[in-house]
Amino acid sequence: MHQRLLAAILVILFGGLVFLYVQEFRYLSNTIGVQWLVAGSMLTVAVLTFAGLWLWRDRFIPLDRHLPEVLLIGVFSVLFAPLWGSLINRSMGKETHRSFIFESETAYYASGYGILKGEKLKPTGWKLRVNDKSVSRLFTYKSQSYYPLSKPGDVILLPINKGLFGFEVILLK
């Protein structure tokens, strides 16, 4: 009975982690330099996991009997590393504003089953393209159009979270 309860708790925790990861995608997609955040998080967690497994290697002897456990710990640690990296970066950052050069803001439509005849279309979200020090960046958000009157070349202020690790997250919802 004790093992079933533990297994049920672990499944619920895993489901909660997956839900949290899905919620974090919104912030990951609007993070400047996200590829470095993801790579750094994965590398850091891989090294820490390897060190932890090495320190407690007596627990996993003989390795051929415990290989599934070791692989499970290693794979899931590395796969969930970007979630923790993004959460730590964002939660311990400070909110501020930064200027960008406006390029465009366009609506996009997403439908799981296509468009029905006579269906009135309304945007699912918006894509904002800005120029950041001669680099074109694309951010997405869902709630409303923020810059309907802006013209290409206008300077706009965007709310950002300057994270603990130095990665900036655009805070448009």
Side-chain angles (χ1 to χ4, degrees):
M1 183 67 174
H2 176 47
Q3 288 180 342
R4 287 185 184 207
L5 179 62
L6 180 63
I9 291 171
L10 288 175
V11 167
I12 291 169
L13 283 174
F14 180 72
L17 276 176
V18 170
F19 176 77
L20 194 60
Y21 214 151
V22 169
Q23 298 302 311
E24 195 66 20
F25 283 156
R26 177 178 72 156
Y27 298 105
L28 280 168
S29 67
N30 286 341
T31 299
I32 297 174
V34 69
Q35 64 273 19
W36 295 108
L37 175 64
V38 168
S41 299
M42 291 175 102
L43 182 64
T44 301
V45 167
V47 168
L48 291 174
T49 301
F50 179 76
L53 288 171
W54 182 258
L55 286 174
W56 291 293
R57 65 185 174 271
D58 294 340
R59 160 72 178 88
F60 301 109
I61 292 177
L63 184 61
D64 58 337
R65 282 189 56 203
H66 295 284
L67 190 60
E69 295 170 49
V70 170
L71 290 176
L72 183 78
I73 291 169
V75 168
F76 279 107
S77 296
V78 172
L79 286 180
F80 281 95
L83 167 65
W84 303 119
S86 179
L87 282 172
I88 293 169
N89 179 61
R90 203 168 39 84
S91 66
M92 296 184 187
K94 60 181 179 183
E95 292 186 21
T96 184
H97 287 79
R98 198 171 116 205
S99 61
F100 295 87
I101 298 172
F102 179 82
E103 289 181 2
S104 68
E105 182 181 48
T106 56
Y108 69 89
Y109 303 91
S111 174
Y113 303 104
I115 299 169
L116 301 174
K117 185 176 179 180
E119 180 181 4
K120 187 173 184 177
L121 293 178
K122 67 179 204 181
T124 306
W126 284 264
K127 293 184 182 277
L128 176 66
R129 184 170 297 282
V130 296
N131 190 310
D132 177 27
K133 301 174 188 157
S134 72
V135 175
S136 186
R137 300 197 185 278
L138 183 67
F139 304 113
T140 59
Y141 45 92
K142 298 209 179 254
S143 65
Q144 67 183 38
S145 174
Y146 284 97
Y147 302 98
L149 302 176
S150 297
K151 295 181 180 24
D154 288 352
V155 176
I156 59 173
L157 279 176
L158 292 179
I160 63 167
N161 181 326
K162 178 82 170 174
L164 176 69
F165 303 133
F167 297 99
E168 298 173 328
V169 182
I170 303 302
L171 298 176
L172 297 175
K173 295 184 167 113

